[in-house]
Structures are given as structure tokens and as C-alpha cells.
Amino acid sequence: MMSKLILILLPLFLCVQLYAQNGEKLAESENDTVPAGPPGSGAEYTDTAAVALGLPWPQNVQLLLDKLLEHGMFGTSQVGLMVYDLTADSCIYRVNERQMLRPASTMKVITAIAAIDCLGGSYQFRTSLYYTGTIGNNTLTGDVYCVGGFDPRFNSDDMTAFVESIHRMGVDTIRGRIVMDRTMKTADLLGEGWCWDDDNPQLSPLLIGGKDRFAERFMQELRDAGIVVEAYNSEEALPNGAYIVCTRFHSLDQVLMRMMKESDNLYAESMFYQIAASTGNRPAAAGHARSVIQRLIGRLGLSPKAYKIADGSGLSLYNYVSAELEVQMLRYAYRNSNIYLHLYPSLPIAGQDGTLKNRMLNPFTNGNVRAKTGTLTGISSLAGYCTASNGHLLCFAIINQGIMNGKNARDFQDRVCTVLCQPY
């Protein structure tokens, strides 16, 4: 009898705790405005939780989310929020879902879905080595071409494989040029709308360890391996008729995992330019990727002209999307198993890994919420999936803008997810 009583009262206790914290903890940490926290001891939050327990799902969720939105921080900041029940195929909550807001790194959700959609899950990032001319008496008389494919995972092991492949041809002397082919993309090393004083990645199609130092590292490792280079560095496109020496590959999943789990901006921009290159344009430009994403937005039944897509990572201050767009993207991924199969495992897991490792540690969200975080000055966002207590799979997008205390926005997002996941 006692155990049954505990099971009945536990959700009420959790709801009371949730709203007591909303009224007190957020108010204490918000320093950009005087919060209109709950008066008195917070008894009305207890009343709200009790009422919610008597309502069917999702009305109980809607009531509790309404209460969260009463916090005073929303007097000086904006929020776009949408929750969609994928199992029931219906929207269960929306507020300002069509407002144009900066997504920060939840932009990576849009990039990832568009990339998997147009490239396919088996797509590979590649960097290749070619040569022209002839080989005789251990000497290559001709040019060596390093052809960049904007692979952010190309590392020292891959470079060693390049050098060893030249050794295996019996070459110990190169008489000619070492040529860098960077024609895969435009020469722009920074994205549109990036802040000059941020720690921005360099968008070069030839990378080693994520750095734009490919030529110098390649020359050095050739010398370290005892290969005499009687040549100089140059940059131009690979000519027709060149011979392939070696190609190093990394899978879409390898890039996607770090891009999403760790919110790696270089990896996201690399994915963005793979989308651009898929159009067949050389050099690929950001505009080519935007056109692909805009076509996908149109297929979702939304107006592509309503949104501004500037980059793939969310670093740009020119990006403007809505919570509705992010939810529609997540819905599209869920309905297309070939996309969902790759996207879902890449998302950070609450309380477990990535950028959510130390968030949402309560038993209802821990290991349940899988979502991409986003943070820029004044912006905090979260978009992904979770499973409600009734077994329904939900997708959601939350974009907080104009927030000077990022912790407040993160706490709000965490409490939204708790409301969605906890039993009633």
C-alpha cells in the first residue's frame, strides 16, 4: 500500500520541485532584468502541478510549459518554442514558433539533415594524391598534386600514408613541383557574418589536423622520410591524365559524430561545403549549399525566402531561422529512416556525452533527451528528440534570444525537457 502511495505522490513532488526552482533559482541568477518571480512561497506552482496531474496528456504538459513561460526573463528576451508528437503526428505546443531568430549551433541540425539527404549515409570525405610525368631510376620527373576535398579528419596517419605511397613507387627524388589543388571550394577562409575576433576555423579544402598547414607538413614529412624534393610549392588544379597515387577517406558518420556531439564548427563547415560541391559547381561556394538547403525547405512546405542561411555551423550572425523550421527538419529526418539512422546517434545525450554530458541529470531526461545545443552571445538554443512517459517520441526546438545570462536559458530548456519526459 505504501509503495503505491509513493508512486502516486512522486510525480506531484517532482512537479512542485520543478516549479519551485523555476521561481527561485532562475530569479537569483538572472542579472539582466529584475525577474517577476512567483510571489510568496510559490504555492501557485504547487497548485499548477496538482492541476496538471488531473489532466490528460498532453494538456498537462501544455499547462506546465505555460507556467514556465511566465518567468520574468521573458520580459526582456525572446523565445521560440515548438514541440511535436512524432508518434501521434501532431503539434502539442507552440509559442512564437515562426519568429525569425538566430539558431547558434542548432544550425548544425539543419546542415546535418540536408547533408545526409543530398549526399547519402555512405558518403566519404576524401583527400587524394596524384602525380604527372615519369618515374625512372628512383626519380619522379614531374609534379605531385595534393587534391583537397575539405576533410576535417585528415591527420598525421593519413599524411604518413601519402608519404609511404610515394616510397612504395620506388621514388626517393622528386624533380618537379609539389602542387596544392584547393579548387574544391572558393578561396574564402572565413564564413559570411563571422565575428573577426572569434576563434574561427579556417575553411581550407586541404587540412592537416584541422589546420591550414598541409603544404609545409607534406614537404617536411617527405624530407623526414628521406625523399629529396628538388621542387617548389605551387597551387593549381589537377590536370587531366594525372595518375592516382593514394586516396584517404573518412566517412560521413565519422565527421557527423564530432560535428554534433562536440559542436565542432570546422566539421560543420566541411559538411556545408560537401553539400555545395554536390551541385557540381567548382569551386563550390556557400551559395551553392544554401540553394540545396532552400530546396529542402520548400519540400517541407515552408517558404525558403522566409529564412536566412549564411553558414553551416551557426557561427554567422546572419543566420535567421525559426523553431518551426528546426522541428520540421527533425520531423523530416524521423520520417526518412536513411537520415534518422545517421542523425539520431550523432546527437548529444543528456547526462551522457557531448555538450549535454553535464545537463539534465534527473532520471527522466538522463539518457533520454538527444539534442543539439547552441550558444552565442545573447543566444542559447536546443533542438532534438526525447521520449515522453507515455512512450511517444517527441521532437522539439527551443531558441532563446536576448539572454544575457546563458545559464537561465539553459535551465529553462532543461526544465522544458523535464516537463516533456516526466510521468504524471
Side-chain angles (χ1 to χ4, degrees), residues 169-237:
M169 295 191 304
V171 172
D172 61 22
T173 303
I174 298 174
R175 289 179 179 166
R177 300 177 301 162
I178 304 295
V179 184
M180 302 294 115
D181 181 345
R182 305 176 190 271
T183 59
M184 178 263 189
K185 66 172 292 294
T186 57
D188 298 329
L189 294 180
L190 297 176
E192 180 185 355
W194 287 9
C195 290
W196 64 270
D197 56 348
D198 280 348
D199 184 18
N200 296 314
Q202 290 189 302
L203 308 183
S204 170
L206 272 171
L207 298 168
I208 171 70
K211 303 296 182 181
D212 186 22
R213 299 171 182 167
F214 197 100
E216 60 187 90
R217 281 286 301 274
F218 185 50
M219 293 286 286
Q220 186 60 52
E221 294 211 16
L222 286 171
R223 295 190 182 101
D224 291 346
I227 298 175
V228 177
V229 181
E230 300 176 358
Y232 58 91
N233 287 338
S234 180
E235 291 196 14
E236 65 180 51

Side-chain angles (χ1 to χ4, degrees), residues 234-412:
S234 180
E235 291 196 14
E236 65 180 51
L238 180 73
N240 293 329
Y243 303 102
I244 184 71
V245 178
C246 179
T247 299
R248 299 293 289 182
F249 302 93
H250 289 104
S251 70
L252 181 141
D253 282 332
Q254 287 177 303
V255 174
L256 186 65
M257 195 64 66
R258 177 163 169 173
M259 165 183 164
M260 302 299 275
K261 294 283 189 186
E262 305 303 327
S263 200
D264 192 297
N265 295 319
L266 174 63
Y267 280 53
E269 293 302 327
S270 173
M271 193 77 75
F272 189 66
Y273 277 96
Q274 305 304 316
I275 297 172
S278 73
T279 64
N281 290 287
R282 291 292 187 277
H288 302 136
R290 291 179 197 130
S291 66
V292 174
I293 296 173
Q294 286 168 345
R295 285 196 297 271
L296 176 56
I297 291 172
R299 282 159 46 201
L300 299 179
L302 301 174
S303 172
K305 295 181 180 180
Y307 310 97
K308 172 65 175 177
I309 307 296
D311 66 10
S313 62
L315 277 175
S316 177
L317 298 179
Y318 298 163
N319 289 311
Y320 277 95
V321 302
S322 66
E324 179 186 45
L325 174 60
E326 293 190 340
V327 162
Q328 294 291 13
M329 282 282 186
L330 291 165
R331 285 185 64 204
Y332 179 76
Y334 173 73
R335 296 196 305 268
N336 292 267
S337 59
N338 290 334
I339 300 176
Y340 192 69
L341 177 68
H342 298 276
L343 176 70
Y344 189 73
S346 75
L347 292 168
I349 306 172
Q352 304 291 319
D353 65 19
T355 55
L356 285 181
K357 184 175 183 179
N358 298 315
R359 289 178 60 178
M360 291 183 272
L361 302 177
N362 72 73
F364 308 120
T365 52
N366 192 338
N368 180 358
V369 176
R370 293 186 180 231
K372 182 71 199 72
T373 57
T375 304
L376 284 175
T377 301
I379 304 164
S380 181
S381 53
L382 188 70
Y385 302 95
C386 65
T387 302
S389 60
N390 63 356
H392 286 203
L393 183 65
L394 313 177
C395 67
F396 62 88
I398 311 166
I399 304 175
N400 292 95
Q401 186 164 287
I403 292 286
M404 293 299 101
N405 189 323
K407 186 177 184 301
N408 266 2
R410 292 190 295 273
D411 287 345
F412 168 75

Side-chain angles (χ1 to χ4, degrees), residues 135-150:
I135 298 174
N137 297 322
N138 303 115
T139 299
L140 168 60
T141 304
D143 298 330
V144 174
Y145 286 80
C146 302
V147 182
F150 205 165

Side-chain angles (χ1 to χ4, degrees), residues 89-109:
D89 194 20
S90 62
C91 179
I92 64 170
Y93 197 82
R94 63 179 79 202
V95 60
N96 301 328
E97 77 281 4
R98 293 184 176 175
Q99 281 193 4
M100 293 297 109
L101 303 169
R102 293 170 177 162
S105 279
T106 56
M107 185 67 205
K108 293 181 175 72
V109 170

Side-chain angles (χ1 to χ4, degrees), residues 155-168:
N155 57 30
S156 296
D157 291 341
D158 298 306
M159 186 67 82
T160 298
F162 268 20
V163 174
E164 288 178 347
S165 67
I166 293 176
H167 252 313
R168 285 195 297 270

